[in-house]
């Protein structure tokens, strides 16, 4: 996604529920240099084109025009000022896009029309569940699909990633033991990220308890 931001591409990020889409976006935003990028984030299941432009303009510190066409032209002007005067590259992230209707998705195509398609006005990243990509495969969305520069699909952690994830949490919590030297890792393999995170909380509680107990208890549980 950072590669897409640097080149002002149109990217689509999809994944099943619990694969860490929001966490990935949060990490992605943290990695972008605020001296080079201006990040705007929208997440609204009832988002309409007018409110889409209004939300972006408000994040740029502007009061949006009422009509959609006026607001779109206003956004393009503000983006030109952002790039030309402040030397910032705009990055727009729209989350929960699988919940949006066809009208809003079509507006994305018109948003990217800039100087007769001579250049992209911004990096645009759409994030949603797998049904978003399934919708975009339909013929009705062909005009949107052909504009996509990069598609990312998030999957569940494999066995090695689960082990690394858990041990990183144990280290961060200051636990001196590694439960999964003895505890079957397969109990956690294939968990959705949200359920895995909940399980890790219980693991950390037990790990810290064992760390502070006498050696007899540490041998019993570690």
């Amino acid at each position: 996604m950072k590669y897409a931001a640097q080149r002002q591409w149109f990217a689509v990020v999809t994944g099943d529920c619990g694969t860490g889409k929001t966490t990935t976006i949060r990490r992605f935003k943290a990695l972008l240099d605020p001296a080079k990028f201006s990040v705007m984030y929208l997440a609204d299941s009832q988002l309409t084109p007018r409110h889409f432009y209004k939300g972006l303009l408000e994040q740029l510190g502007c009061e949006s025009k009422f009509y959609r066409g006026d607001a779109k032209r206003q956004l393009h002007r503000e983006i030109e000022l952002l790039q030309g005067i402040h030397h910032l590259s705009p990055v727009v992230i729209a989350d929960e896009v699988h919940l949006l209707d066809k009208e809003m998705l079509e507006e994305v195509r018109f948003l990217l029309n800039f100087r007769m398609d001579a250049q992209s006005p911004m990096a645009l990243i759409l994030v949603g569940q797998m049904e978003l990509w399934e919708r975009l495969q339909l013929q009705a969305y062909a005009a949107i699909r052909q504009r996509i520069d990069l598609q990312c699909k998030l999957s569940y952690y494999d066995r090695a990633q689960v082990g690394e994830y858990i041990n990183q949490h144990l280290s961060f919590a200051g636990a001196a033991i590694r439960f999964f030297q003895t505890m079957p890792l397969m109990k956690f393999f294939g968990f959705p990220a949200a359920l895995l995170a909940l399980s890790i909380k219980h693991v950390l509680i037990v790990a810290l308890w064992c760390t502070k107990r006498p050696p007899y208890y540490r041998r019993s549980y570690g």
Side-chain angles (χ1 to χ4, degrees):
M1 288 193 293
K2 188 174 181 181
Y3 189 83
Q6 292 169 340
R7 287 154 182 78
Q8 295 189 293
W9 279 2
F10 176 22
V12 175
V13 179
T14 56
D16 289 324
C17 182
T19 50
K21 295 183 295 295
T22 302
T23 301
T24 301
I25 295 169
R26 191 162 54 242
R27 178 60 177 165
F28 163 67
K29 185 176 183 240
L31 289 174
L32 292 179
D33 185 352
K36 296 180 180 179
F37 298 96
S38 175
V39 180
M40 291 159 276
Y41 176 81
L42 292 171
D44 186 349
S45 62
Q46 302 298 319
L47 195 64
T48 64
R50 190 168 76 84
H51 287 94
F52 176 74
Y53 293 120
K54 183 176 183 291
L56 295 181
L57 285 164
E58 286 179 348
Q59 291 184 51
L60 290 173
C62 304
E63 184 176 352
S64 172
K65 302 287 186 182
F66 181 79
Y67 293 105
R68 180 198 305 185
D70 294 337
K72 179 167 62 177
R73 286 187 289 272
Q74 181 185 7
L75 178 62
H76 280 163
R77 285 195 299 271
E78 291 299 326
I79 285 174
E80 285 185 307
L81 292 175
L82 192 70
Q83 295 170 327
I85 297 176
H86 301 288
H87 305 292
L88 292 173
S89 297
V91 178
V92 175
I93 303 172
D95 203 356
E96 305 295 346
V97 178
H98 60 282
L99 299 175
L100 303 184
D101 59 21
K102 188 175 186 295
E103 182 188 15
M104 185 60 239
L105 288 175
E106 285 286 354
E107 192 64 27
V108 168
R109 179 164 61 96
F110 300 123
L111 173 66
L112 296 175
N113 284 338
F114 190 66
R115 294 179 180 173
M116 295 186 294
D117 285 345
Q119 69 180 83
S120 174
M122 66 189 73
L124 178 62
I125 299 174
L126 304 185
V127 184
Q129 295 184 18
M130 287 304 299
E131 63 189 84
L132 169 61
W133 188 248
E134 293 169 2
R135 283 177 65 189
L136 292 175
Q137 299 307 302
L138 300 176
Q139 184 60 33
Y141 296 92
I144 303 173
R145 189 174 63 249
Q146 69 181 7
R147 289 181 174 270
I148 297 172
D149 299 302
L150 180 68
Q151 193 244 339
C152 304
K153 179 182 176 183
L154 300 181
S155 58
Y156 294 120
Y157 283 174
D158 60 26
R159 183 174 180 177
Q161 290 171 322
V162 170
E164 183 180 356
Y165 178 85
I166 292 172
N167 285 330
Q168 283 288 337
H169 277 73
L170 290 170
S171 297
F172 184 77
I177 59 176
R178 293 294 177 268
F179 267 74
F180 299 98
Q181 293 173 356
T182 55
M183 185 182 293
L185 187 59
M186 291 302 292
K187 289 185 178 181
F188 293 88
F189 178 55
F191 275 20
L195 184 57
L196 181 59
L198 181 62
S199 301
I200 296 306
K201 290 181 182 179
H202 294 288
V203 170
L204 291 175
I205 291 171
V206 177
L208 291 173
W209 181 81
C210 288
T211 301
K212 295 177 180 180
R213 301 297 293 176
Y216 170 78
Y217 291 97
R218 290 202 294 270
R219 284 196 301 271
S220 299
Y221 286 89

